[in-house]
Amino acid sequence: MKPIITASECASESAGPRPPVLLDIRWQLGGPHGRPDYEAGHLPGAVFVDLDAELAGPAGKGGRHPLPDPEEFGAVMRRAGVSRDTPVVVYDGGQGWAAARAWWLLRWTGHLDVRVLDGGLAAWSGELSTGTPTPAEGDFRPEPGALPLLDADAAAALARSGLLLDARAAERYRGDVEPIDRVGGHIPGAVSAPTAENVGEDGRFLPAERLAARFGGLGADGDAGAIGVYCGSGVSGAHEVLALELAGHRAALYAGSWSEWSSDASRPVATGPDPQ
């Protein structure tokens, strides 16, 4: 199943006999909490899910957005009305990062029918609602492991044996600036692949053939072997995993990402535009 859905397709399915569960994941790195935006207007029937509190565990040694406890994540999804056999559509304000985090978590824990609204709320032309729905409890029970996952050691090894993509902005990859984490730079051997280049000016994913050409130019071809992705804290990296899936590649996510890697002073750090 294609991992994205257009606004018109979402509207049609929502009015059909098997409407998807809609999850609003509006969030902005370093910005205000997304709940006020949700209350001001959201897709009819959508349930708000808090990325920081419900799609991540407590910040610490595992990074700024470590994976949530699977059972706690499952409880959040059930309260939102998610069942194992119901389709799910996730969306955010348009950047796609937060929605992709929810998409990845649901896919990783075994849900087979989850898609990201391409372009997010900005692509929606229908009416918005200010009501807070109370969906019937779902039955989704997480079974982690359906998507590949990397820890720090596996990410370091993949940077040597396969292709490890760094989804952060190029200036953070080079170490020119580091506004959040302890030190700037990148995992030695990782290749710069900013997430922002997966989408066009409208915030929608580039066509599959353009994504394939982009990642092919970065080394994702028949000789690349395994592919992995990391970012700052495992949010925009999920967006890159989704883009790679659109391009025909299965990629592993290093969920701890740079926030975990850089917190350990014993781990090596490379700087500049060269992977090494």
PDB file of all heavy atoms in Angstrom, residues 191-233:
ATOM      1  N   VAL A 191      26.114  10.034   4.936  1.00  0.00           N
ATOM      2  CA  VAL A 191      25.966  10.904   3.767  1.00  0.00           C
ATOM      3  C   VAL A 191      24.863  11.918   4.031  1.00  0.00           C
ATOM      4  O   VAL A 191      23.785  11.566   4.515  1.00  0.00           O
ATOM      5  CB  VAL A 191      25.631  10.060   2.512  1.00  0.00           C
ATOM      6  CG1 VAL A 191      25.330  10.960   1.317  1.00  0.00           C
ATOM      7  CG2 VAL A 191      26.773   9.096   2.202  1.00  0.00           C
ATOM      8  N   SER A 192      25.122  13.175   3.709  1.00  0.00           N
ATOM      9  CA  SER A 192      24.135  14.229   3.930  1.00  0.00           C
ATOM     10  C   SER A 192      22.965  14.081   2.959  1.00  0.00           C
ATOM     11  O   SER A 192      23.156  13.995   1.742  1.00  0.00           O
ATOM     12  CB  SER A 192      24.775  15.604   3.753  1.00  0.00           C
ATOM     13  OG  SER A 192      23.834  16.640   3.968  1.00  0.00           O
ATOM     14  N   ALA A 193      21.739  14.078   3.511  1.00  0.00           N
ATOM     15  CA  ALA A 193      20.522  13.929   2.697  1.00  0.00           C
ATOM     16  C   ALA A 193      19.381  14.669   3.384  1.00  0.00           C
ATOM     17  O   ALA A 193      18.488  14.047   3.965  1.00  0.00           O
ATOM     18  CB  ALA A 193      20.178  12.458   2.513  1.00  0.00           C
ATOM     19  N   PRO A 194      19.372  16.000   3.362  1.00  0.00           N
ATOM     20  CA  PRO A 194      18.369  16.755   4.116  1.00  0.00           C
ATOM     21  C   PRO A 194      16.932  16.374   3.777  1.00  0.00           C
ATOM     22  O   PRO A 194      16.544  16.276   2.611  1.00  0.00           O
ATOM     23  CB  PRO A 194      18.664  18.206   3.709  1.00  0.00           C
ATOM     24  CG  PRO A 194      20.108  18.211   3.335  1.00  0.00           C
ATOM     25  CD  PRO A 194      20.334  16.878   2.683  1.00  0.00           C
ATOM     26  N   THR A 195      16.136  16.164   4.816  1.00  0.00           N
ATOM     27  CA  THR A 195      14.732  15.784   4.649  1.00  0.00           C
ATOM     28  C   THR A 195      13.963  16.798   3.812  1.00  0.00           C
ATOM     29  O   THR A 195      13.062  16.424   3.053  1.00  0.00           O
ATOM     30  CB  THR A 195      14.073  15.653   6.032  1.00  0.00           C
ATOM     31  OG1 THR A 195      14.734  14.628   6.763  1.00  0.00           O
ATOM     32  CG2 THR A 195      12.607  15.293   5.916  1.00  0.00           C
ATOM     33  N   ALA A 196      14.295  18.088   3.969  1.00  0.00           N
ATOM     34  CA  ALA A 196      13.555  19.132   3.265  1.00  0.00           C
ATOM     35  C   ALA A 196      13.568  18.938   1.755  1.00  0.00           C
ATOM     36  O   ALA A 196      12.677  19.441   1.054  1.00  0.00           O
ATOM     37  CB  ALA A 196      14.126  20.504   3.617  1.00  0.00           C
ATOM     38  N   GLU A 197      14.539  18.209   1.236  1.00  0.00           N
ATOM     39  CA  GLU A 197      14.636  18.017  -0.207  1.00  0.00           C
ATOM     40  C   GLU A 197      13.771  16.871  -0.714  1.00  0.00           C
ATOM     41  O   GLU A 197      13.774  16.559  -1.904  1.00  0.00           O
ATOM     42  CB  GLU A 197      16.105  17.802  -0.593  1.00  0.00           C
ATOM     43  CG  GLU A 197      16.971  19.031  -0.303  1.00  0.00           C
ATOM     44  CD  GLU A 197      18.440  18.814  -0.646  1.00  0.00           C
ATOM     45  OE1 GLU A 197      18.747  17.874  -1.412  1.00  0.00           O
ATOM     46  OE2 GLU A 197      19.274  19.587  -0.143  1.00  0.00           O
ATOM     47  N   ASN A 198      12.990  16.252   0.186  1.00  0.00           N
ATOM     48  CA  ASN A 198      12.059  15.188  -0.231  1.00  0.00           C
ATOM     49  C   ASN A 198      10.743  15.744  -0.762  1.00  0.00           C
ATOM     50  O   ASN A 198       9.941  14.989  -1.306  1.00  0.00           O
ATOM     51  CB  ASN A 198      11.735  14.267   0.947  1.00  0.00           C
ATOM     52  CG  ASN A 198      12.933  13.490   1.429  1.00  0.00           C
ATOM     53  OD1 ASN A 198      13.820  13.157   0.652  1.00  0.00           O
ATOM     54  ND2 ASN A 198      12.967  13.202   2.725  1.00  0.00           N
ATOM     55  N   VAL A 199      10.511  17.032  -0.554  1.00  0.00           N
ATOM     56  CA  VAL A 199       9.218  17.628  -0.899  1.00  0.00           C
ATOM     57  C   VAL A 199       9.403  18.840  -1.798  1.00  0.00           C
ATOM     58  O   VAL A 199      10.490  19.414  -1.882  1.00  0.00           O
ATOM     59  CB  VAL A 199       8.443  18.039   0.378  1.00  0.00           C
ATOM     60  CG1 VAL A 199       8.175  16.822   1.260  1.00  0.00           C
ATOM     61  CG2 VAL A 199       9.203  19.108   1.158  1.00  0.00           C
ATOM     62  N   GLY A 200       8.311  19.230  -2.449  1.00  0.00           N
ATOM     63  CA  GLY A 200       8.327  20.430  -3.257  1.00  0.00           C
ATOM     64  C   GLY A 200       7.940  21.649  -2.445  1.00  0.00           C
ATOM     65  O   GLY A 200       7.778  21.591  -1.216  1.00  0.00           O
ATOM     66  N   GLU A 201       7.773  22.776  -3.105  1.00  0.00           N
ATOM     67  CA  GLU A 201       7.426  24.018  -2.416  1.00  0.00           C
ATOM     68  C   GLU A 201       6.072  23.948  -1.722  1.00  0.00           C
ATOM     69  O   GLU A 201       5.829  24.675  -0.754  1.00  0.00           O
ATOM     70  CB  GLU A 201       7.445  25.191  -3.407  1.00  0.00           C
ATOM     71  CG  GLU A 201       8.845  25.513  -3.944  1.00  0.00           C
ATOM     72  CD  GLU A 201       8.835  26.708  -4.875  1.00  0.00           C
ATOM     73  OE1 GLU A 201       7.742  27.279  -5.100  1.00  0.00           O
ATOM     74  OE2 GLU A 201       9.919  27.077  -5.380  1.00  0.00           O
ATOM     75  N   ASP A 202       5.196  23.066  -2.192  1.00  0.00           N
ATOM     76  CA  ASP A 202       3.870  22.922  -1.591  1.00  0.00           C
ATOM     77  C   ASP A 202       3.872  21.962  -0.402  1.00  0.00           C
ATOM     78  O   ASP A 202       2.816  21.706   0.192  1.00  0.00           O
ATOM     79  CB  ASP A 202       2.849  22.466  -2.629  1.00  0.00           C
ATOM     80  CG  ASP A 202       3.217  21.131  -3.287  1.00  0.00           C
ATOM     81  OD1 ASP A 202       4.257  20.544  -2.921  1.00  0.00           O
ATOM     82  OD2 ASP A 202       2.456  20.686  -4.177  1.00  0.00           O
ATOM     83  N   GLY A 203       5.044  21.438  -0.038  1.00  0.00           N
ATOM     84  CA  GLY A 203       5.132  20.524   1.091  1.00  0.00           C
ATOM     85  C   GLY A 203       4.760  19.089   0.765  1.00  0.00           C
ATOM     86  O   GLY A 203       4.809  18.228   1.643  1.00  0.00           O
ATOM     87  N   ARG A 204       4.419  18.815  -0.477  1.00  0.00           N
ATOM     88  CA  ARG A 204       4.046  17.456  -0.864  1.00  0.00           C
ATOM     89  C   ARG A 204       5.275  16.700  -1.368  1.00  0.00           C
ATOM     90  O   ARG A 204       6.199  17.281  -1.909  1.00  0.00           O
ATOM     91  CB  ARG A 204       2.958  17.490  -1.941  1.00  0.00           C
ATOM     92  CG  ARG A 204       1.708  18.228  -1.491  1.00  0.00           C
ATOM     93  CD  ARG A 204       0.623  18.220  -2.543  1.00  0.00           C
ATOM     94  NE  ARG A 204      -0.436  19.165  -2.195  1.00  0.00           N
ATOM     95  CZ  ARG A 204      -1.561  19.302  -2.858  1.00  0.00           C
ATOM     96  NH1 ARG A 204      -1.804  18.542  -3.914  1.00  0.00           N
ATOM     97  NH2 ARG A 204      -2.471  20.191  -2.470  1.00  0.00           N
ATOM     98  N   PHE A 205       5.244  15.396  -1.177  1.00  0.00           N
ATOM     99  CA  PHE A 205       6.370  14.578  -1.598  1.00  0.00           C
ATOM    100  C   PHE A 205       6.608  14.705  -3.097  1.00  0.00           C
ATOM    101  O   PHE A 205       5.662  14.793  -3.889  1.00  0.00           O
ATOM    102  CB  PHE A 205       6.137  13.109  -1.244  1.00  0.00           C
ATOM    103  CG  PHE A 205       6.398  12.788   0.196  1.00  0.00           C
ATOM    104  CD1 PHE A 205       5.355  12.799   1.111  1.00  0.00           C
ATOM    105  CD2 PHE A 205       7.675  12.484   0.645  1.00  0.00           C
ATOM    106  CE1 PHE A 205       5.583  12.500   2.453  1.00  0.00           C
ATOM    107  CE2 PHE A 205       7.915  12.196   1.978  1.00  0.00           C
ATOM    108  CZ  PHE A 205       6.875  12.200   2.888  1.00  0.00           C
ATOM    109  N   LEU A 206       7.876  14.703  -3.480  1.00  0.00           N
ATOM    110  CA  LEU A 206       8.220  14.666  -4.891  1.00  0.00           C
ATOM    111  C   LEU A 206       7.720  13.364  -5.501  1.00  0.00           C
ATOM    112  O   LEU A 206       7.536  12.361  -4.797  1.00  0.00           O
ATOM    113  CB  LEU A 206       9.736  14.759  -5.055  1.00  0.00           C
ATOM    114  CG  LEU A 206      10.421  16.024  -4.525  1.00  0.00           C
ATOM    115  CD1 LEU A 206      11.930  15.908  -4.684  1.00  0.00           C
ATOM    116  CD2 LEU A 206       9.897  17.267  -5.227  1.00  0.00           C
ATOM    117  N   PRO A 207       7.493  13.343  -6.808  1.00  0.00           N
ATOM    118  CA  PRO A 207       7.093  12.085  -7.453  1.00  0.00           C
ATOM    119  C   PRO A 207       8.115  10.985  -7.192  1.00  0.00           C
ATOM    120  O   PRO A 207       9.309  11.252  -6.996  1.00  0.00           O
ATOM    121  CB  PRO A 207       7.040  12.459  -8.939  1.00  0.00           C
ATOM    122  CG  PRO A 207       6.820  13.939  -8.957  1.00  0.00           C
ATOM    123  CD  PRO A 207       7.548  14.468  -7.759  1.00  0.00           C
ATOM    124  N   ALA A 208       7.644   9.758  -7.209  1.00  0.00           N
ATOM    125  CA  ALA A 208       8.494   8.620  -6.869  1.00  0.00           C
ATOM    126  C   ALA A 208       9.752   8.560  -7.722  1.00  0.00           C
ATOM    127  O   ALA A 208      10.841   8.243  -7.219  1.00  0.00           O
ATOM    128  CB  ALA A 208       7.694   7.322  -7.004  1.00  0.00           C
ATOM    129  N   GLU A 209       9.622   8.870  -9.007  1.00  0.00           N
ATOM    130  CA  GLU A 209      10.793   8.774  -9.879  1.00  0.00           C
ATOM    131  C   GLU A 209      11.842   9.833  -9.526  1.00  0.00           C
ATOM    132  O   GLU A 209      13.049   9.572  -9.630  1.00  0.00           O
ATOM    133  CB  GLU A 209      10.387   8.881 -11.357  1.00  0.00           C
ATOM    134  CG  GLU A 209       9.692  10.175 -11.761  1.00  0.00           C
ATOM    135  CD  GLU A 209       8.184  10.134 -11.577  1.00  0.00           C
ATOM    136  OE1 GLU A 209       7.680   9.235 -10.857  1.00  0.00           O
ATOM    137  OE2 GLU A 209       7.508  10.999 -12.165  1.00  0.00           O
ATOM    138  N   ARG A 210      11.396  11.007  -9.086  1.00  0.00           N
ATOM    139  CA  ARG A 210      12.361  12.030  -8.669  1.00  0.00           C
ATOM    140  C   ARG A 210      13.022  11.657  -7.344  1.00  0.00           C
ATOM    141  O   ARG A 210      14.219  11.900  -7.143  1.00  0.00           O
ATOM    142  CB  ARG A 210      11.679  13.398  -8.565  1.00  0.00           C
ATOM    143  CG  ARG A 210      11.303  14.011  -9.911  1.00  0.00           C
ATOM    144  CD  ARG A 210      10.718  15.401  -9.753  1.00  0.00           C
ATOM    145  NE  ARG A 210      11.663  16.326  -9.119  1.00  0.00           N
ATOM    146  CZ  ARG A 210      11.339  17.565  -8.749  1.00  0.00           C
ATOM    147  NH1 ARG A 210      10.096  18.014  -8.941  1.00  0.00           N
ATOM    148  NH2 ARG A 210      12.237  18.353  -8.188  1.00  0.00           N
ATOM    149  N   LEU A 211      12.253  11.070  -6.447  1.00  0.00           N
ATOM    150  CA  LEU A 211      12.846  10.598  -5.203  1.00  0.00           C
ATOM    151  C   LEU A 211      13.849   9.485  -5.476  1.00  0.00           C
ATOM    152  O   LEU A 211      14.935   9.447  -4.867  1.00  0.00           O
ATOM    153  CB  LEU A 211      11.757  10.105  -4.251  1.00  0.00           C
ATOM    154  CG  LEU A 211      10.873  11.192  -3.632  1.00  0.00           C
ATOM    155  CD1 LEU A 211       9.691  10.551  -2.915  1.00  0.00           C
ATOM    156  CD2 LEU A 211      11.674  12.067  -2.671  1.00  0.00           C
ATOM    157  N   ALA A 212      13.509   8.580  -6.381  1.00  0.00           N
ATOM    158  CA  ALA A 212      14.432   7.498  -6.721  1.00  0.00           C
ATOM    159  C   ALA A 212      15.731   8.048  -7.300  1.00  0.00           C
ATOM    160  O   ALA A 212      16.828   7.571  -6.975  1.00  0.00           O
ATOM    161  CB  ALA A 212      13.772   6.534  -7.700  1.00  0.00           C
ATOM    162  N   ALA A 213      15.600   9.067  -8.149  1.00  0.00           N
ATOM    163  CA  ALA A 213      16.801   9.678  -8.726  1.00  0.00           C
ATOM    164  C   ALA A 213      17.621  10.390  -7.653  1.00  0.00           C
ATOM    165  O   ALA A 213      18.858  10.309  -7.644  1.00  0.00           O
ATOM    166  CB  ALA A 213      16.408  10.661  -9.824  1.00  0.00           C
ATOM    167  N   ARG A 214      16.941  11.059  -6.730  1.00  0.00           N
ATOM    168  CA  ARG A 214      17.652  11.743  -5.653  1.00  0.00           C
ATOM    169  C   ARG A 214      18.458  10.759  -4.812  1.00  0.00           C
ATOM    170  O   ARG A 214      19.648  10.946  -4.573  1.00  0.00           O
ATOM    171  CB  ARG A 214      16.652  12.495  -4.764  1.00  0.00           C
ATOM    172  CG  ARG A 214      17.373  13.237  -3.650  1.00  0.00           C
ATOM    173  CD  ARG A 214      16.521  13.672  -2.498  1.00  0.00           C
ATOM    174  NE  ARG A 214      17.391  14.380  -1.562  1.00  0.00           N
ATOM    175  CZ  ARG A 214      17.224  14.443  -0.261  1.00  0.00           C
ATOM    176  NH1 ARG A 214      16.197  13.865   0.295  1.00  0.00           N
ATOM    177  NH2 ARG A 214      18.079  15.085   0.495  1.00  0.00           N
ATOM    178  N   PHE A 215      17.786   9.714  -4.331  1.00  0.00           N
ATOM    179  CA  PHE A 215      18.470   8.759  -3.464  1.00  0.00           C
ATOM    180  C   PHE A 215      19.489   7.925  -4.230  1.00  0.00           C
ATOM    181  O   PHE A 215      20.518   7.521  -3.676  1.00  0.00           O
ATOM    182  CB  PHE A 215      17.451   7.878  -2.753  1.00  0.00           C
ATOM    183  CG  PHE A 215      16.620   8.628  -1.750  1.00  0.00           C
ATOM    184  CD1 PHE A 215      15.237   8.660  -1.850  1.00  0.00           C
ATOM    185  CD2 PHE A 215      17.217   9.326  -0.705  1.00  0.00           C
ATOM    186  CE1 PHE A 215      14.474   9.358  -0.925  1.00  0.00           C
ATOM    187  CE2 PHE A 215      16.458  10.030   0.218  1.00  0.00           C
ATOM    188  CZ  PHE A 215      15.081  10.052   0.111  1.00  0.00           C
ATOM    189  N   GLY A 216      19.224   7.681  -5.518  1.00  0.00           N
ATOM    190  CA  GLY A 216      20.217   6.984  -6.325  1.00  0.00           C
ATOM    191  C   GLY A 216      21.504   7.780  -6.427  1.00  0.00           C
ATOM    192  O   GLY A 216      22.604   7.226  -6.360  1.00  0.00           O
ATOM    193  N   GLY A 217      21.365   9.102  -6.546  1.00  0.00           N
ATOM    194  CA  GLY A 217      22.541   9.955  -6.601  1.00  0.00           C
ATOM    195  C   GLY A 217      23.323   9.994  -5.307  1.00  0.00           C
ATOM    196  O   GLY A 217      24.511  10.343  -5.287  1.00  0.00           O
ATOM    197  N   LEU A 218      22.663   9.623  -4.209  1.00  0.00           N
ATOM    198  CA  LEU A 218      23.320   9.590  -2.900  1.00  0.00           C
ATOM    199  C   LEU A 218      23.892   8.218  -2.578  1.00  0.00           C
ATOM    200  O   LEU A 218      24.495   8.037  -1.511  1.00  0.00           O
ATOM    201  CB  LEU A 218      22.323  10.001  -1.807  1.00  0.00           C
ATOM    202  CG  LEU A 218      21.830  11.454  -1.878  1.00  0.00           C
ATOM    203  CD1 LEU A 218      20.675  11.667  -0.905  1.00  0.00           C
ATOM    204  CD2 LEU A 218      22.967  12.417  -1.578  1.00  0.00           C
ATOM    205  N   GLY A 219      23.679   7.257  -3.486  1.00  0.00           N
ATOM    206  CA  GLY A 219      24.243   5.932  -3.274  1.00  0.00           C
ATOM    207  C   GLY A 219      23.241   4.827  -3.069  1.00  0.00           C
ATOM    208  O   GLY A 219      23.632   3.678  -2.872  1.00  0.00           O
ATOM    209  N   ALA A 220      21.954   5.140  -3.089  1.00  0.00           N
ATOM    210  CA  ALA A 220      20.920   4.122  -2.895  1.00  0.00           C
ATOM    211  C   ALA A 220      20.620   3.461  -4.238  1.00  0.00           C
ATOM    212  O   ALA A 220      19.682   3.829  -4.932  1.00  0.00           O
ATOM    213  CB  ALA A 220      19.667   4.731  -2.291  1.00  0.00           C
ATOM    214  N   ASP A 221      21.443   2.508  -4.591  1.00  0.00           N
ATOM    215  CA  ASP A 221      21.236   1.784  -5.845  1.00  0.00           C
ATOM    216  C   ASP A 221      21.402   0.296  -5.587  1.00  0.00           C
ATOM    217  O   ASP A 221      21.432  -0.147  -4.436  1.00  0.00           O
ATOM    218  CB  ASP A 221      22.208   2.275  -6.923  1.00  0.00           C
ATOM    219  CG  ASP A 221      23.657   2.226  -6.454  1.00  0.00           C
ATOM    220  OD1 ASP A 221      23.998   1.356  -5.620  1.00  0.00           O
ATOM    221  OD2 ASP A 221      24.459   3.060  -6.913  1.00  0.00           O
ATOM    222  N   GLY A 222      21.519  -0.473  -6.625  1.00  0.00           N
ATOM    223  CA  GLY A 222      21.599  -1.906  -6.463  1.00  0.00           C
ATOM    224  C   GLY A 222      22.813  -2.388  -5.704  1.00  0.00           C
ATOM    225  O   GLY A 222      22.825  -3.500  -5.173  1.00  0.00           O
ATOM    226  N   ASP A 223      23.850  -1.548  -5.631  1.00  0.00           N
ATOM    227  CA  ASP A 223      25.072  -1.944  -4.944  1.00  0.00           C
ATOM    228  C   ASP A 223      25.157  -1.399  -3.525  1.00  0.00           C
ATOM    229  O   ASP A 223      26.150  -1.650  -2.826  1.00  0.00           O
ATOM    230  CB  ASP A 223      26.295  -1.446  -5.727  1.00  0.00           C
ATOM    231  CG  ASP A 223      26.358  -2.056  -7.123  1.00  0.00           C
ATOM    232  OD1 ASP A 223      26.001  -3.236  -7.261  1.00  0.00           O
ATOM    233  OD2 ASP A 223      26.755  -1.339  -8.066  1.00  0.00           O
ATOM    234  N   ALA A 224      24.142  -0.653  -3.085  1.00  0.00           N
ATOM    235  CA  ALA A 224      24.233   0.034  -1.799  1.00  0.00           C
ATOM    236  C   ALA A 224      24.133  -0.917  -0.614  1.00  0.00           C
ATOM    237  O   ALA A 224      24.690  -0.668   0.444  1.00  0.00           O
ATOM    238  CB  ALA A 224      23.134   1.095  -1.690  1.00  0.00           C
ATOM    239  N   GLY A 225      23.422  -2.019  -0.790  1.00  0.00           N
ATOM    240  CA  GLY A 225      23.177  -2.895   0.349  1.00  0.00           C
ATOM    241  C   GLY A 225      22.160  -2.261   1.275  1.00  0.00           C
ATOM    242  O   GLY A 225      21.232  -1.573   0.840  1.00  0.00           O
ATOM    243  N   ALA A 226      22.321  -2.464   2.564  1.00  0.00           N
ATOM    244  CA  ALA A 226      21.372  -1.931   3.535  1.00  0.00           C
ATOM    245  C   ALA A 226      21.439  -0.407   3.574  1.00  0.00           C
ATOM    246  O   ALA A 226      22.481   0.211   3.364  1.00  0.00           O
ATOM    247  CB  ALA A 226      21.671  -2.513   4.912  1.00  0.00           C
ATOM    248  N   ILE A 227      20.273   0.190   3.887  1.00  0.00           N
ATOM    249  CA  ILE A 227      20.153   1.643   3.987  1.00  0.00           C
ATOM    250  C   ILE A 227      19.600   1.992   5.357  1.00  0.00           C
ATOM    251  O   ILE A 227      18.669   1.351   5.850  1.00  0.00           O
ATOM    252  CB  ILE A 227      19.225   2.208   2.895  1.00  0.00           C
ATOM    253  CG1 ILE A 227      19.737   1.844   1.495  1.00  0.00           C
ATOM    254  CG2 ILE A 227      19.098   3.729   3.024  1.00  0.00           C
ATOM    255  CD1 ILE A 227      18.775   2.205   0.381  1.00  0.00           C
ATOM    256  N   GLY A 228      20.167   3.006   5.981  1.00  0.00           N
ATOM    257  CA  GLY A 228      19.675   3.506   7.259  1.00  0.00           C
ATOM    258  C   GLY A 228      19.566   5.011   7.232  1.00  0.00           C
ATOM    259  O   GLY A 228      20.155   5.683   6.380  1.00  0.00           O
ATOM    260  N   VAL A 229      18.787   5.556   8.159  1.00  0.00           N
ATOM    261  CA  VAL A 229      18.544   6.997   8.243  1.00  0.00           C
ATOM    262  C   VAL A 229      18.611   7.427   9.701  1.00  0.00           C
ATOM    263  O   VAL A 229      18.126   6.725  10.587  1.00  0.00           O
ATOM    264  CB  VAL A 229      17.160   7.378   7.669  1.00  0.00           C
ATOM    265  CG1 VAL A 229      16.917   8.878   7.804  1.00  0.00           C
ATOM    266  CG2 VAL A 229      17.012   6.946   6.219  1.00  0.00           C
ATOM    267  N   TYR A 230      19.194   8.595   9.933  1.00  0.00           N
ATOM    268  CA  TYR A 230      19.071   9.244  11.233  1.00  0.00           C
ATOM    269  C   TYR A 230      18.897  10.736  11.018  1.00  0.00           C
ATOM    270  O   TYR A 230      19.108  11.258   9.918  1.00  0.00           O
ATOM    271  CB  TYR A 230      20.289   8.956  12.132  1.00  0.00           C
ATOM    272  CG  TYR A 230      21.555   9.696  11.772  1.00  0.00           C
ATOM    273  CD1 TYR A 230      21.898  10.896  12.411  1.00  0.00           C
ATOM    274  CD2 TYR A 230      22.436   9.202  10.809  1.00  0.00           C
ATOM    275  CE1 TYR A 230      23.076  11.566  12.090  1.00  0.00           C
ATOM    276  CE2 TYR A 230      23.606   9.862  10.492  1.00  0.00           C
ATOM    277  CZ  TYR A 230      23.931  11.052  11.136  1.00  0.00           C
ATOM    278  OH  TYR A 230      25.085  11.727  10.822  1.00  0.00           O
ATOM    279  N   CYS A 231      18.482  11.429  12.073  1.00  0.00           N
ATOM    280  CA  CYS A 231      18.280  12.866  12.002  1.00  0.00           C
ATOM    281  C   CYS A 231      18.729  13.464  13.324  1.00  0.00           C
ATOM    282  O   CYS A 231      19.729  13.037  13.902  1.00  0.00           O
ATOM    283  CB  CYS A 231      16.828  13.189  11.669  1.00  0.00           C
ATOM    284  SG  CYS A 231      15.644  12.489  12.852  1.00  0.00           S
ATOM    285  N   GLY A 232      17.997  14.445  13.853  1.00  0.00           N
ATOM    286  CA  GLY A 232      18.342  15.005  15.142  1.00  0.00           C
ATOM    287  C   GLY A 232      17.845  14.160  16.295  1.00  0.00           C
ATOM    288  O   GLY A 232      18.583  13.880  17.239  1.00  0.00           O
ATOM    289  N   SER A 233      16.569  13.738  16.204  1.00  0.00           N
ATOM    290  CA  SER A 233      15.998  12.975  17.318  1.00  0.00           C
ATOM    291  C   SER A 233      15.010  11.913  16.880  1.00  0.00           C
ATOM    292  O   SER A 233      14.195  11.461  17.674  1.00  0.00           O
ATOM    293  CB  SER A 233      15.323  13.929  18.310  1.00  0.00           C
ATOM    294  OG  SER A 233      14.205  14.580  17.711  1.00  0.00           O
TER     295      SER A 233
END
